[in-house]
Amino acid sequence: MRTVIVVIYLILYYIFSIPAWIVGWVIGKINPDMKPRYAQTLIRRAFKDILFISGVKVTVKGQENILQGESAMYAFNHRSYFDILVGYTTGPMPLAFVSKDDLAHIPLITRWMKYMKCLFLDRNDIKKGLQTILEGIELLKSGHSVFIAPEGTRNHGEELLEFHQASFKLADKSHRPIVPVAMNNTDDAFENHFPWIHSTHVIVEYCKPIYMDELEKTEKKHVAEKVREIIGETVKKNAAEL
């Protein structure tokens, strides 16, 4: 039943979001910097509705580590499509996700993701992948935070996959901090019960920021391992509460 209601909500949202999209287009012409915030405000409201309809209770820890007024790279362990909903409803503004380029071909999703300056990463094309990283660096420099999954794909295992060191070039080259983000149980909302949406309890914890400019050169080389360790330990700690 929850799945049916969510589908109906998405259909209605698609219809009624057309005027809102036009308003966003006008805002972008007048003040381009306001468009991402406008889009995220609307999407955040929609995602909160979907989480509520889905029966997903979200517990947020470490809110003091969400950097307000300062852009950062938020590195999270990727378990579910629901990670995006949890990230946008609990994270800072403005915020963009680095996503697979597969989503770039879905009209409803792409329209708003582009408004929020989301980046689409093509892992099969090195040149395009590098261009995406460069765009992410410029976003961070401009004050726009970025959510990225260094594992590179969704992982439902107990142990995290290896983190790609290239992901951390975003923080290194932009001189912005890294905030490790631990997601627990997001895959229990959908992937574990595919194709049905299931009510569940999700925990997201924002860990203490790591400032790249304060690290030694050797520490920077191993920052991916350090962030993976922090997230892994936090996930295991929070698992005991579920």
Side-chain angles (χ1 to χ4, degrees), residues 196-216:
W196 310 112
I197 291 173
H198 188 268
S199 61
T200 192
H201 179 203
V202 166
I203 297 177
V204 54
E205 180 164 353
Y206 291 84
C207 306
K208 291 183 179 180
I210 298 171
Y211 290 86
M212 293 293 286
D213 289 347
E214 296 178 2
L215 299 181
E216 298 292 337

Side-chain angles (χ1 to χ4, degrees), residues 71-235:
S71 64
M73 170 185 153
Y74 291 80
F76 69 102
N77 60 308
H78 196 11
R79 299 192 65 86
S80 168
Y81 287 118
F82 271 77
D83 295 341
I84 299 175
L85 280 71
V86 173
Y88 269 125
T89 54
T90 62
M93 291 180 67
L95 173 66
F97 266 75
V98 177
S99 175
K100 290 182 180 180
D101 65 336
D102 301 11
L103 294 179
H105 307 295
I106 305 176
L108 173 61
I109 296 176
T110 305
R111 175 192 300 168
W112 289 104
M113 289 183 75
K114 287 183 177 179
Y115 268 23
M116 293 185 289
K117 295 185 179 292
C118 289
L119 303 172
F120 299 101
L121 182 62
D122 186 345
R123 296 185 180 87
N124 298 317
D125 190 317
I126 296 177
K127 186 176 180 179
K128 288 183 179 179
L130 177 60
Q131 181 60 38
T132 300
I133 294 296
L134 293 175
E135 290 174 5
I137 292 169
E138 290 306 312
L139 267 183
L140 284 163
K141 287 182 177 179
S142 70
H144 208 109
S145 292
V146 174
F147 248 70
I148 187 169
E151 290 175 289
T153 187
R154 284 175 293 156
N155 170 36
H156 308 296
E158 292 185 6
E159 296 296 327
L160 303 185
L161 301 176
E162 292 298 320
F163 279 16
H164 296 295
Q165 183 68 31
S167 302
F168 295 88
K169 290 185 181 295
L170 288 170
D172 188 19
K173 300 302 181 182
S174 64
H175 303 283
R176 307 310 304 151
I178 300 167
V179 178
V181 183
M183 298 273 190
N184 275 78
N185 222 33
T186 49
D187 50 350
D188 194 50
F190 181 60
E191 281 80 359
N192 292 351
H193 308 278
F194 182 83
W196 310 112
I197 291 173
H198 188 268
S199 61
T200 192
H201 179 203
V202 166
I203 297 177
V204 54
E205 180 164 353
Y206 291 84
C207 306
K208 291 183 179 180
I210 298 171
Y211 290 86
M212 293 293 286
D213 289 347
E214 296 178 2
L215 299 181
E216 298 292 337
K217 188 174 181 179
T218 53
E219 291 178 304
K220 288 184 179 181
K221 289 182 179 179
H222 300 287
V223 70
E225 298 170 20
K226 181 177 181 178
V227 173
R228 179 178 181 271
E229 182 180 349
I230 292 171
I231 294 176
E233 290 178 353
T234 305
V235 166

